[in-house]
């Protein structure tokens, strides 16, 4: 019995060590990529069949929401993203980025949510997540009014995202 407790303790320490290393890696990666030279895509094919061009959104803050239907934290963020889009409707464009689910699945989910006021991309050959080096969900990328990535956040922190959006909007008014 004592041997089992010792092995369990050692296993827990290993798990904690790996979790800490993963957290440190995610923290430093998040900061480095936000200021890197990675450029966002120039166009987004949306689940309603339309394509939105990044150049057509100049002057607006863009919030890219990297999500998929099997990600519970992603789905929990949706109501807050709807509120953000409504609050800053004249200055913000929220675009869901989903490279995992197909167009029909995304359209069905948005129809189920009924009051979703933003659209999403869907699984195509152009993998936006891979291009922007997103491999943790949810991840949010904020693009300023000039089309430059200014923030990348892993996980959903409504206060932090809202603060950044508000600051960017106030800078241009």
């Amino acid at each position: 019995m004592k041997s089992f407790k010792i092995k369990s303790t050692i296993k827990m320490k290993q798990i904690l060590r790996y979790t800490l290393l993963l957290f440190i890696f995610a923290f430093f990666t998040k900061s480095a990529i936000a200021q890197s030279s990675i450029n966002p895509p120039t166009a987004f094919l949306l689940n309603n069949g339309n394509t939105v061009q990044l150049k057509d959104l100049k002057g607006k803050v863009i919030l890219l929401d990297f999500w998929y239907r099997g990600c519970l934290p992603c789905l929990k963020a949706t109501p807050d993203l709807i509120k953000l889009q409504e609050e800053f409707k004249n200055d913000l464009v929220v675009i869901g980025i989903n490279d995992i689910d197909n167009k029909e699945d995304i359209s069905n989910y948005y129809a189920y949510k009924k009051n979703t006021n933003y659209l999403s991309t869907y699984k195509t050959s152009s993998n936006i997540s891979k291009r922007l080096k997103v491999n943790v969900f949810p991840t949010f990328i904020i693009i300023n009014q000039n089309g430059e990535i200014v923030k990348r956040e892993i996980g959903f922190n409504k206060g932090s995202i809202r603060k950044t959006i508000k600051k960017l909007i106030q800078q241009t008014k």
Side-chain angles (χ1 to χ4, degrees), residues 49-112:
N50 294 333
T51 299
V52 65
Q53 301 287 330
L54 192 60
K55 66 181 180 181
D56 295 338
L57 302 176
K58 285 271 191 211
K60 293 191 180 275
V61 175
I62 303 166
L63 175 61
L64 301 181
D65 164 30
F66 291 82
W67 72 288
Y68 67 98
R69 283 190 66 180
C71 170
L72 185 59
C74 301
L75 302 180
K76 282 185 168 185
T78 301
D80 288 320
L81 295 173
I82 292 169
K83 289 176 188 170
L84 281 171
Q85 178 66 72
E86 183 59 33
E87 180 181 357
F88 299 110
K89 61 184 158 201
N90 297 322
D91 301 298
L92 173 68
V93 176
V94 177
I95 301 174
I97 306 295
N98 185 321
D99 292 316
I100 296 171
D101 299 313
N102 66 37
K103 181 179 177 180
E104 183 181 356
D105 285 342
I106 292 169
S107 296
N108 288 342
Y109 173 73
Y110 277 16
Y112 166 75

Side-chain angles (χ1 to χ4, degrees), residues 115-158:
N115 62 346
T116 306
N117 54 4
Y118 63 94
L119 297 169
S120 179
T121 64
Y122 55 91
K123 185 178 182 175
T124 64
S125 60
S126 101
N127 190 321
I128 299 168
S129 299
K130 187 175 182 180
R131 178 177 175 180
L132 294 176
K133 300 186 182 339
V134 171
N135 43 16
V136 178
F137 299 90
T139 291
F140 298 88
I141 293 179
I142 299 176
I143 301 171
N144 69 13
Q145 296 90 330
N146 298 317
E148 304 160 331
I149 295 175
V150 294
K151 183 171 183 145
R152 175 188 177 104
E153 187 158 308
I154 297 171
F156 183 65
N157 181 334
K158 179 184 176 184

